[in-house]
Amino acid sequence: MAFQILLNVLMACLWMFFESSVTLSTFIIGYLLGLLIIFMMRRFFSSRLYIYRVFAVVWLVLLFLKELFLSNLAVLKVVLNPKLTIRPGIFALETKLESDWEITLLANLITLTPGTLVVDLSKDNKTLYIHAMDIEDADEAVESIKLSFEKAIMEVSRSC
Amino acid sequence: MSAVAEWTIVICILIGTFLSIVAAFGVLKLPDVYTRNHAASKSTTLGVLLTLLGTLIYFYATDGEFNARIVLGIVFIFITAPVAGHLISRAAYHTGVELSERSVQDDLSQKK
């Protein structure tokens, strides 16, 4: 992926030399043309076209922001409710993710999800222990959200 | 300053302040360390984030000055706040702080 970006920047610089004008607009035009060339030559690269991964990262950031808003609403509801009806608890969640940065990202994402907070990670990096604010309605809904997060993170990390 | 910018600033800063107040109430009201951590780590993240965003827009609208340091501050808070919340609750659990008596489930206690 890094190689493709570097190649694209190099092609943009080449375009600036062709035009013999070193300005930002020439660079952008050259970059877009380079992107087109890389897109046409995509069968010669071993990894995916990098633009897909960039989109996946943007998607993940948007997901982060959305979850942050939703979790604040959930906390607001619990705090401003005059009666304290929550039933907290800690549950375990198996994860398929392997590398360290993926698990860190997942843990951060879970912490910003409505009503959940990561307490611990098992030694073999397989299980996340999550404290839920309200374990009854959390259990199922959270499980499905986790799957979508895991998928979004895999979308970023997948190389082929 | 246009009306749209004015309203955006006002709404951002008021909501940010409101969320910080709610977080403070949450810390007072909720029963144990872990649930308090929920309130503190989430509401303050968004509260500080919105307040900083309001400041950014204010200085851009009045002086036409885009302060990149505020953007950096937003990004850093966004990255570090959940990690801090996680570390506090983890440290609490490993020093043996009890869950509140409302708790119904504790999978971590069966961990080998």
Side-chain angles (χ1 to χ4, degrees):
Chain A
M1 176 187 166
F3 171 71
Q4 286 181 25
I5 293 177
L6 205 62
L7 198 67
N8 205 340
V9 170
L10 210 68
M11 277 198 260
C13 289
L14 198 67
W15 181 257
M16 283 199 297
F17 277 96
F18 278 145
E19 297 277 297
S20 75
S21 77
V22 189
T23 57
L24 184 67
S25 56
T26 328
F27 182 83
I28 291 171
I29 292 171
Y31 196 89
L32 291 178
L33 285 174
L35 196 62
L36 190 68
I37 292 171
I38 288 182
F39 176 71
M40 289 193 294
M41 301 284 171
R42 63 190 180 282
R43 50 181 290 215
F44 297 110
F45 296 106
S46 55
S47 59
R48 227 162 21 136
L49 193 64
Y50 76 88
I51 207 78
Y52 291 123
R53 209 185 270 192
V54 173
F55 278 133
V57 170
V58 171
W59 176 245
L60 201 61
V61 171
L62 290 181
L63 204 64
F64 251 112
L65 288 175
K66 191 192 103 195
E67 291 304 325
L68 187 61
F69 269 98
L70 287 183
S71 70
N72 272 284
L73 275 185
V75 168
L76 213 69
K77 256 189 239 160
V78 170
V79 171
L80 295 184
N81 194 350
K83 268 181 291 183
L84 204 59
T85 54
I86 51 168
R87 291 153 62 79
I90 295 179
F91 67 95
L93 179 90
E94 304 275 325
T95 177
K96 281 178 288 183
L97 302 175
E98 273 156 14
S99 57
D100 286 348
W101 69 269
E102 286 172 334
I103 294 172
T104 312
L105 211 56
L106 183 67
N108 270 7
L109 208 46
I110 288 171
T111 301
L112 292 177
T113 316
T116 52
L117 197 120
V118 177
V119 176
D120 206 353
L121 177 66
S122 67
K123 283 230 167 59
D124 57 354
N125 285 358
K126 287 260 163 55
T127 316
L128 288 161
Y129 292 95
I130 300 169
H131 183 271
M133 188 92 120
D134 210 340
I135 205 138
E136 268 161 24
D137 55 65
D139 246 357
E140 270 178 52
V142 158
E143 203 81 25
S144 69
I145 292 169
K146 296 296 142 51
L147 292 180
S148 73
F149 286 163
E150 251 182 2
K151 228 174 90 193
I153 292 175
M154 274 178 187
E155 204 67 36
V156 175
S157 65
R158 188 166 64 122
S159 62
C160 52
Chain B
M1 197 169 17
S2 69
V4 180
E6 228 165 59
W7 276 101
T8 320
I9 295 161
V10 168
I11 288 172
C12 274
I13 292 193
L14 280 183
I15 293 179
T17 321
F18 176 68
L19 283 176
S20 303
I21 292 173
V22 167
F25 273 124
V27 169
L28 287 177
K29 184 183 169 188
L30 291 170
D32 65 346
V33 169
Y34 307 98
T35 42
R36 282 176 183 175
N37 218 336
H38 276 280
S41 69
K42 282 166 199 165
S43 305
T44 46
T45 312
L46 192 61
V48 174
L49 207 146
L50 281 175
T51 316
L52 283 179
L53 197 66
T55 320
L56 179 75
I57 300 171
Y58 175 79
F59 280 110
Y60 188 66
T62 51
D63 305 346
E65 173 200 340
F66 187 79
N67 199 334
R69 260 172 258 167
I70 297 179
V71 179
L72 266 188
I74 290 175
V75 171
F76 282 148
I77 283 179
F78 192 58
I79 294 172
T80 52
V83 179
H86 162 61
L87 278 181
I88 291 169
S89 55
R90 184 187 146 93
Y93 197 91
H94 284 285
T95 43
V97 178
E98 299 280 319
L99 298 161
S100 78
E101 69 274 12
R102 292 173 170 280
S103 309
V104 285
Q105 193 179 349
D106 189 2
D107 284 350
L108 190 49
S109 61
Q110 291 135 30
K111 191 176 115 175
K112 279 120 221 156

